[in-house]
Amino acid sequence: MIVNKKSIEDIFKEIEKSDIEINNTTNWNFYFFDKEKRNINKLGKSFLNKKENYVTFIDEMDDDYWRLKVSIKKVFTPESLYKNNLSFNYLIEDYNIELFDGWDVDV
């Protein structure tokens, strides 16, 4: 995923305009895709071994890809989300994952 700090800052500004409390603890979701289930399983297990309380969900997509959804309840700032996404770009290289496809936030 191309990580663009300015885009993240703009998204935060738009969310704040809509009166959504983005500066409170919120549920964030991150998505990873690969054709090899074993790669997705390994990556999913790595999140469960971290100090933070990640929740993972793996499902098979219609196009022969596996998706890992990683969720966490946390407060992110534009800067911390930017750094988080950069770290995920490096993480997918370590686990041979084809794609870190981005994030969303439950509002």
Side-chain angles (χ1 to χ4, degrees):
M1 179 183 132
I2 297 173
V3 179
N4 183 312
K5 189 175 179 181
K6 173 87 169 80
S7 294
I8 293 173
E9 290 169 346
D10 291 345
I11 292 169
F12 267 72
K13 287 176 187 173
E14 288 300 313
I15 292 172
E16 288 169 350
K17 285 181 190 176
S18 66
D19 294 330
I20 294 170
E21 293 294 326
I22 197 75
N23 296 320
N24 292 331
T25 300
T26 309
N27 194 59
W28 296 84
N29 307 295
F30 303 91
Y31 300 93
F32 303 85
F33 291 85
D34 198 280
K35 284 194 173 188
E36 298 294 330
K37 185 178 182 183
R38 70 177 178 270
N39 292 346
I40 289 291
N41 283 334
K42 286 180 189 176
L43 179 60
K45 287 178 184 176
S46 78
F47 280 100
L48 299 177
N49 292 330
K50 296 185 183 290
K51 290 186 222 176
E52 299 186 79
N53 292 323
Y54 287 101
V55 176
T56 62
F57 178 76
I58 296 172
D59 60 335
E60 187 173 14
M61 309 306 291
D62 292 336
D63 57 1
D64 295 328
Y65 273 85
W66 291 89
R67 176 178 67 180
L68 169 64
K69 176 182 175 184
V70 177
S71 301
I72 188 166
K73 291 183 189 256
K74 185 174 180 170
V75 176
F76 275 108
T77 65
E79 178 71 21
S80 65
L81 183 59
Y82 170 74
K83 288 179 179 178
N84 184 79
N85 291 346
L86 282 177
S87 72
F88 285 167
N89 277 340
Y90 291 112
L91 188 64
I92 65 171
E93 291 176 14
D94 293 342
Y95 286 87
N96 296 314
I97 300 294
E98 289 183 42
L99 179 65
F100 164 48
D101 195 40
W103 55 274
D104 64 23
V105 60
D106 297 339
V107 290

